[in-house]
Amino acid sequence: MKHRRKLIITSLIVTFALIRSRDVLLGRASPSPHNVEFTPVAAPPPFVAASPNLTAATHELRPKGDPLCNQLPGGDGIVVIVKTGASEAFSKIPTQLHTILRCAPDVLVFSDLEQTIAGVPVHDSFESVLDDVKHHPDFNLYHAQRACRVSQADCTRHIDKGKEGWALDKYKNIHIAEKAYNMRPGKDWYVVIDADTYMFWTTLVAFLSRLDPSRKLFLGSIAHYLDLPFAHGGSGYIMSRGAMDDFVGAHPGIANSYDKAVIETCCGDWMFAKAMMETSKIPVTQSFPTINGDKIWSMAFGPTHWCHPLATMHHVDSEEMSLFWEYEMNRHLEIAEKTSAVVSPVLLRDMYFQYFAPRVSDVRDDWDNISGDVLYLAGRPSDGEKSKVVPERKRKDYEKVAHHSVENCRTACEKMPDCFQYLFKPDEFCKLGKSFRIGYPMAPEKDPAKRHTAGWLRERIQAWVDAQGECESAIWPTI
């Protein structure tokens, strides 16, 4: 049976792109010059890869008869909206199409250029942006891409795509919401993710099945800017039918009404939250850690991250996208063989046993395990560190020397009952963590005096895990 499951997951990938190419519409964008005043010009169409002669649009990209998709929960009322850019689309979207989007019944991809990827249409987010706003230098990359006569990689290789792409990206969010609503009216849920967001389909379906889509809901992982809570875009965010009916349905042209305001702001996800509040009085509802901006290597396992379902992760590369998807699919099929449950959400506890436990060690040099709850510093703390530093007058004897050696740093962690890990750098700091994370490698240091050393109290971690036992029920966000 196990061999059969793996065969199901892997054998269809080779033919998947051809299956997906059916019944979608190929579009082309009109070109415009770069770095000059924007005016439409007549010119040959931009370069696009050869595609089948596709003549009919469809809402559904899920391949009919796919044996894997047929064993997953349907989620027919969900439309998944992917936000990307032409400078990254061909390096990221194909992997998503082969993995997390493979069995999603309805997918819309929006970018800053109209293209197709293996026959899947990529829609231009800016087609309806006000023309005078398109004169702004923020749109230089947009015009360069539209004027391109070869591949986008060749046309933009001398452009700082990180800087230019960030300036352009902030104009997408409200236009994407408006376009998605008009293209897919009446959907229960509108789920927006980035091209580097991993989406656990099994968890997402279970999460949304608990909620009433007629309520005006805007769900996300909350961040703050200028005293306004907003849904962090990379983590993904979700709007209900009730919210979109009010925000877009009751306010035609809502995106254009914010085009000029976007020029002066930093971020499209922040402006989207501002527009939702100003227009429809719909605030973002905290859905963390289920909607999550970390990925598994930086996830803070422990009391706040254990029996909680995990629906999204951010900054996931193609290798990780494949890794997590294979795990999610195998897990779902294994559970389906044993129980009659339609869907079982992935819990953070599951991810701990799959990814943290097999990789943790007692100590690791040239490593950052992202400890930072309690700080012992050799120098002056920054403004962001001040609240985490133990005042000198309150330090016990072992705390006064915690930053002097890695052994002293470990001792300080051992003497703090809720400490699970530590991070040490000679003559600079000892940092303690009240959760446990894998972390990331640092650049190797030849000089031991400059080396980061990360450590974990493995026996304490194991004792805590054992004390938790099985999760009797999932801890969902309070909505």
Side-chain angles (χ1 to χ4, degrees), residues 169-182:
D169 187 76
K170 64 185 181 181
Y171 295 87
K172 293 174 185 172
N173 298 68
I174 304 177
H175 277 276
I176 285 174
E178 183 176 61
K179 290 177 183 295
Y181 179 82
N182 290 330

Side-chain angles (χ1 to χ4, degrees), residues 43-78:
F47 170 83
V48 292
S51 299
N53 182 21
L54 305 168
T55 58
T58 178
H59 287 196
E60 188 171 318
L61 292 177
R62 173 184 283 188
K64 294 186 183 302
D66 185 313
L68 173 61
C69 296
N70 289 345
Q71 298 184 65
L72 291 175
D76 291 336
I78 301 171

Side-chain angles (χ1 to χ4, degrees), residues 198-205 207 235 287-296 299 301 305-314 324 327-328 331 344-352 355 474-477:
Y198 186 87
M199 176 185 67
F200 290 88
W201 181 250
T202 51
T203 304
L204 181 71
V205 172
F207 180 33
S235 303
S287 303
F288 177 85
T290 296
I291 298 179
N292 208 302
D294 285 314
K295 59 182 175 181
I296 211 61
M299 204 77 70
F301 295 107
H305 287 65
W306 197 246
C307 292
H308 307 76
L310 183 61
T312 64
M313 297 186 293
H314 190 213
F324 301 143
Y327 165 71
E328 182 189 4
R331 175 187 177 277
S344 176
V346 176
L347 304 183
L348 283 156
R349 178 184 185 273
D350 300 324
M351 300 297 279
Y352 164 84
Y355 296 106
I475 302 175
W476 293 97

Side-chain angles (χ1 to χ4, degrees), residues 105-152:
D106 197 356
V107 176
L108 294 172
V109 183
F110 288 94
S111 181
D112 40 35
L113 183 69
E114 187 173 356
Q115 297 176 296
T116 60
I117 298 177
V120 176
V122 179
H123 305 281
D124 181 359
S125 307
F126 303 134
E127 173 267 332
S128 58
V129 170
L130 296 174
D131 283 347
D132 58 339
V133 173
K134 289 179 184 176
H135 285 79
H136 194 276
D138 285 347
F139 281 82
N140 286 347
L141 177 62
Y142 178 65
H143 300 319
Q145 290 171 166
R146 285 166 58 86
C148 184
R149 299 296 174 268
V150 289
S151 73
Q152 291 297 320

